[in-house]
Amino acid sequence: MQSIGFAYAIEPVLRRLYTDPAEYESRLRLHMEYFNTQPYLASYILGAVIRMEEDRAMGRNAEGDVSALKAALMAPLGALGDSFFWGALKPLAAVVAVALLMTGYWWAPLVFLVFYNVWHIGLRAGMLFWGYQSGGDAVALMTRHSLMKTAKRFKLITLTVLGGILGMVPVWRLEFQPMVAWSLLLTALFWLAITTALVAVVRRGGSPIQLMLGLAAFCLALAYAGVIE
Amino acid sequence: MPVLDTHLVLAVVGIALLGGLIGLDRTAAGQFMVSEPIVAGPLTGWLLGDPIAGIIIGVILELVWVLDMPIGAFVPADATISAVSATAIAALGSTGSAPLPVIGFSILLTAAMVPATMWADGLIRHWNSRLADAVATGAGPDTGRALARAHLSGLPVFFLKSFVLYLVFLPLGLAAVAVFYHLPEHVHRAMSLFVKFLPLVGVALVVHKLSMKTVDLFLLSGFVIAAMAGLVFHAPALIIVLLSAAGGWAGALYRERRS
């Protein structure tokens, strides 16, 4: 999956460390073995592997097994990175930007990009050095940064901002506002009730595509039944 | 409704080029999230002179697909192609700003595009794994150079995948929109309502992925904070969003202390 990318990233280091062409070739081929993890946290593994390769080339740790190190780190860091970046940071940044965009702040996409990339680039760059310094001690990494705890907080904040989006119906852009002439509070409550019903529907199964198609069919039925004018 | 002319052909090719470049951000290079619908949609709309269509489509598709995650071997939907295509189809298929029914219909068309994008992504990944095997097992005088060639070849391949899909989707979508204009008024009303409901579907999908409960306490707290701040104190939207986020943060800390 990401083996070529990993080997490409470490190739300049190997070229500098191993002047013997045969050894360089064999070390490079070793890094083309199966590798798959969360792409941002791969930099932590890269840093740790560079440290191990350096130690090996200097004769400090001739028995160091880079394959075992990579195999030991890629699954837990993959799960950690998926949960933090894809499952918590991205939804939070997106939902905040959606809330702002729905209420007329045209610069909301910039907020999304800045908020996401401050974490993304900061951690991606930092992980390379932390991996190198720690030599791949994942326990120390998790103790130091508690990404799982931060991910949980981000998920709860995302849920609260989603509730905030529904409570802000009266200040949504006109294109998003519901076509009802009720009081503002009643409209917001009605939209909250529909969303809750939709969550219950989603829990019964079905992909986003099926939901979209089902909703389109429902809207068509309402239009032909004369419910909407 | 515009007919097929040189301007339209150039616009389609231009969007295919732009979409191909933005699409590289998804997996092949960077992953700075420029390819997310909330950025790609408004950007496409702004370039085509219809930012509102881009905002509506970007908001909706972001909510719908934000938690469709590339975990393990799962190939997620290509939300970038959906957002750019839907925005381009709505903007190019309309004279002036795209009306709400056309925007709704353009979003509905993405439901047909998504399986095709997933299939194409699957093909690329299969090719990618074969390429890795070929470099790893191949004998040559300079493995480093072969590796660099194989690695960098991913860029044009991913670009071409998106570029070709845009060249297929955009003309088909524009033809479908041309037909849509002749459909009965009921269909247009239905598509307007579809757009109004879609953000709620997006919110429901995110809530479903983030919470085990159908009626989540944090969701309700955010609703109450926003309703009070907006309806009672008439606070601006920016303040309401910040208050909701702060409320969520305080609630998360409270829950941590209790557990």
Side-chain angles (χ1 to χ4, degrees):
Chain A
M1 297 290 279
Q2 299 162 352
S3 51
I4 288 191
F6 190 91
Y8 180 78
I10 205 168
E11 192 272 339
V13 177
L14 299 178
R15 192 178 285 274
R16 191 166 289 182
L17 288 176
Y18 300 107
T19 46
D20 173 20
E23 193 171 18
Y24 157 78
E25 178 97 7
S26 83
R27 296 309 291 175
L28 187 58
R29 284 189 184 280
L30 185 68
H31 288 293
M32 291 183 203
E33 65 193 356
Y34 174 80
F35 182 75
N36 191 26
T37 190
Q38 204 279 338
Y40 302 165
L41 293 191
S43 61
Y44 182 84
I45 303 176
L46 183 64
V49 169
I50 288 172
R51 170 75 170 270
M52 192 174 264
E53 288 288 1
E54 260 184 16
D55 287 348
R56 186 182 178 279
M58 306 292 177
R60 291 194 292 258
N61 181 15
E63 300 303 314
D65 187 350
V66 289
S67 299
L69 179 71
K70 285 159 77 177
L73 286 178
M74 64 185 181
L77 288 187
L80 179 68
D82 286 343
S83 173
F84 180 76
F85 288 104
W86 305 149
L89 177 62
K90 192 170 88 162
L92 176 59
V95 162
V96 167
V98 162
L100 294 173
L101 208 49
M102 284 183 83
T103 49
Y105 294 96
W106 62 267
W107 40 263
L110 296 176
V111 172
F112 169 77
L113 288 175
V114 171
F115 181 72
Y116 184 86
N117 283 308
V118 163
W119 284 87
H120 160 213
I121 297 169
L123 281 173
R124 202 171 190 176
M127 286 292 169
L128 183 67
F129 295 101
W130 292 324
Y132 182 82
Q133 284 164 2
S134 71
D137 185 352
V139 176
L141 170 77
M142 298 201 192
T143 311
R144 180 174 174 177
H145 294 287
S146 62
L147 286 180
M148 288 307 279
K149 189 189 269 187
T150 311
K152 272 186 193 166
R153 286 180 188 170
F154 279 5
K155 286 175 184 176
L156 294 176
I157 297 170
T158 304
L159 283 166
T160 318
V161 176
L162 281 172
I165 290 176
L166 297 172
M168 287 194 295
V169 168
V171 287
W172 283 3
R173 294 182 65 95
L174 281 176
E175 298 87 0
F176 292 111
Q177 285 202 4
M179 299 180 288
V180 287
W182 300 338
S183 75
L184 297 175
L185 181 61
L186 195 62
T187 307
L189 283 169
F190 180 60
W191 243 216
L192 176 68
I194 291 180
T195 306
T196 307
L198 283 168
V199 176
V201 170
V202 174
R203 292 225 187 280
R204 296 174 73 88
S207 68
I209 295 175
Q210 288 169 327
L211 270 176
M212 283 166 72
L213 293 175
L215 179 64
F218 176 70
C219 292
L220 271 173
L222 286 183
Y224 274 96
V227 178
I228 49 171
E229 292 298 323
Chain B
M1 184 187 63
V3 291
L4 194 66
D5 58 13
T6 312
H7 173 259
L8 194 59
V9 171
L10 285 176
V12 166
V13 174
I15 289 299
L17 286 169
L18 174 82
L21 286 175
I22 293 176
L24 292 179
D25 179 64
R26 280 188 72 79
T27 44
Q31 296 191 321
F32 296 111
M33 299 297 139
V34 178
S35 55
E36 284 296 299
I38 196 145
V39 181
L43 179 67
T44 308
W46 176 67
L47 287 171
L48 292 173
D50 192 353
I52 304 298
I55 286 172
I56 295 170
I57 290 165
V59 160
I60 288 169
L61 292 181
E62 185 65 49
L63 284 172
V64 168
W65 295 113
V66 70
L67 278 167
D68 196 44
M69 300 186 281
I71 293 178
F74 175 71
V75 179
D78 192 329
T80 311
I81 291 183
S82 295
V84 172
S85 298
T87 306
I89 289 166
L92 294 172
S94 313
T95 309
S97 295
L100 214 51
V102 173
I103 292 174
F105 182 67
S106 301
I107 295 172
L108 188 59
L109 288 176
T110 65
M113 295 173 192
V114 164
T117 64
M118 291 169 83
W119 172 78
D121 265 337
L123 276 185
I124 298 280
R125 285 178 189 223
H126 182 63
W127 169 83
N128 191 31
S129 60
R130 283 179 58 187
L131 193 67
D133 293 342
V135 176
T137 55
D142 193 342
T143 311
R145 194 168 291 177
L147 174 71
R149 249 197 325 270
H151 178 66
L152 296 175
S153 68
L155 290 173
V157 170
F158 272 100
F159 173 83
L160 274 176
K161 177 213 77 175
S162 299
F163 182 72
V164 170
L165 285 176
Y166 284 117
L167 289 185
V168 174
F169 290 154
L170 294 183
L172 286 176
L174 288 169
V177 166
V179 174
F180 175 77
Y181 273 105
H182 297 288
L183 293 179
E185 185 56 29
H186 287 310
V187 180
H188 286 240
R189 282 187 200 146
M191 285 297 109
S192 287
L193 188 65
F194 181 59
V195 174
K196 306 277 184 185
F197 275 133
L198 272 174
L200 306 188
V201 170
V203 171
L205 283 164
V206 178
V207 172
H208 166 61
K209 290 274 177 74
L210 293 184
S211 173
M212 301 291 286
K213 295 170 185 165
T214 302
V215 182
D216 186 90
L217 195 61
F218 279 82
L219 184 86
L220 288 180
S221 305
F223 179 84
V224 171
I225 291 170
M228 280 186 63
L231 298 177
V232 180
F233 298 105
H234 304 289
L238 181 62
I239 300 295
I240 299 175
V241 174
L242 289 174
L243 281 174
S244 302
W249 182 262
L253 291 180
Y254 176 71
R255 181 177 274 190
E256 279 171 23
R257 281 191 194 145
R258 272 188 59 196
S259 59

